[in-house]
Amino acid sequence: MAKFSLTKVDPNKLSNEITDFGPEACMECDFSGIIPIDYFQVKPEINNEKEYNEVKALVKEKLGFETFSEISSDLGGLISVCKCPKCGSEEIFQDF
């Protein structure tokens, strides 16, 4: 069983290709103001569904999020998490 670690990544260290794709609106309450997003490097990288589920459990335990988005990056495994500041939903529409 792989032991995963999550390390917060400063968005300023990421390429615009990554940070330009972000939260636009909450699909639960239609909030379209600023929705904070955080990025985390996952080590080792996720390679299969079993590992994905392990990381999902770790994200819930350590960060309090039920969902995350996987992102391709030169850092290797990268995920993002965001939550509506108005209603707390994680059902966020993300786009460029």
Side-chain angles (χ1 to χ4, degrees), residues 27-93:
M27 295 190 296
E28 294 287 326
C29 74
D30 296 324
F31 178 80
S32 60
I34 295 172
I35 299 173
I37 186 168
D38 288 317
Y39 301 93
F40 294 86
Q41 186 175 22
V42 179
K43 286 188 178 177
E45 288 189 52
I46 302 168
N47 292 308
N48 57 48
E49 187 175 354
K50 180 178 181 282
E51 291 178 355
Y52 175 90
N53 289 331
E54 288 176 31
V55 171
K56 187 173 180 178
L58 182 65
V59 167
K60 183 176 182 178
E61 176 189 333
K62 298 289 185 189
L63 306 177
F65 286 84
E66 297 286 337
T67 62
F68 60 86
S69 297
E70 292 182 80
I71 303 167
S72 297
S73 80
D74 55 354
L75 294 176
L78 190 69
I79 64 168
S80 67
V81 292
C82 57
K83 190 178 285 189
C84 177
K86 183 177 176 185
C87 74
S89 173
E90 293 180 32
E91 295 296 319
I92 307 295
F93 175 74

